[in-house]
Amino acid sequence: MNYYTSLIEDSSITNIVRYGADQGRKEGTVMQAPFSLKGQEFMCMDSPPVHDFTFTPSFSVFLTCDSEDEMNHLYESLLMEGEALMPLDDYGFSKKFGWINDKFGVSWQLNLPIG
């Protein structure tokens, strides 16, 4: 969450709720935290049970960029230690588009619209 809000303009952490003593996780660690990325609201949550799943590109954060400079910066930053699913290019449906899995396994579709 801190990583994403530091990279993306007009982003902020709205609130952080932390675990207290005897709540299943180390006291003071993040339980849940709403945040926004370019006006889109998200929620980070951590829960004590171990889950038998991880991130998958079947769910992606779709982010519309305002400029080519912003697009290039976000693509290169999020690609570090990640993998490109669709390299930055003009695929015909936008001016420029890229799809990546970042270093945490989160899938991102970055779009620079036509016009």
Side-chain angles (χ1 to χ4, degrees):
M1 166 182 66
N2 289 323
Y3 176 69
Y4 300 132
T5 58
S6 73
L7 286 179
I8 300 169
E9 296 176 6
D10 301 321
S11 299
S12 64
I13 299 168
T14 309
N15 187 33
I16 298 177
V17 177
R18 298 183 183 278
Y19 282 100
D22 301 319
Q23 286 189 301
R25 288 281 196 227
K26 182 179 175 188
E27 185 174 359
T29 59
V30 174
M31 179 188 295
Q32 61 183 1
F35 64 103
S36 69
L37 302 175
K38 290 185 69 109
Q40 294 183 57
E41 297 294 321
F42 296 89
M43 171 77 80
C44 282
M45 298 178 74
D46 190 13
S47 62
V50 175
H51 302 287
D52 192 24
F53 57 84
T54 125
F55 294 112
T56 161
S58 66
F59 172 83
S60 298
V61 177
F62 188 94
L63 198 63
T64 299
C65 298
D66 297 321
S67 70
E68 194 156 349
D69 286 342
E70 178 188 22
M71 176 92 163
N72 292 337
H73 169 71
L74 288 177
Y75 185 87
E76 292 303 320
S77 297
L78 292 167
L79 183 60
M80 279 195 264
E81 299 179 51
E83 66 175 317
L85 303 176
M86 289 177 74
L88 279 182
D89 206 348
D90 177 351
Y91 293 98
F93 53 82
S94 67
K95 186 174 183 180
K96 199 174 208 181
F97 179 85
W99 191 350
I100 63 171
N101 284 340
D102 70 17
K103 65 184 178 180
F104 301 111
V106 176
S107 181
W108 294 83
Q109 293 185 56
L110 304 176
N111 184 55
L112 184 62
I114 297 171

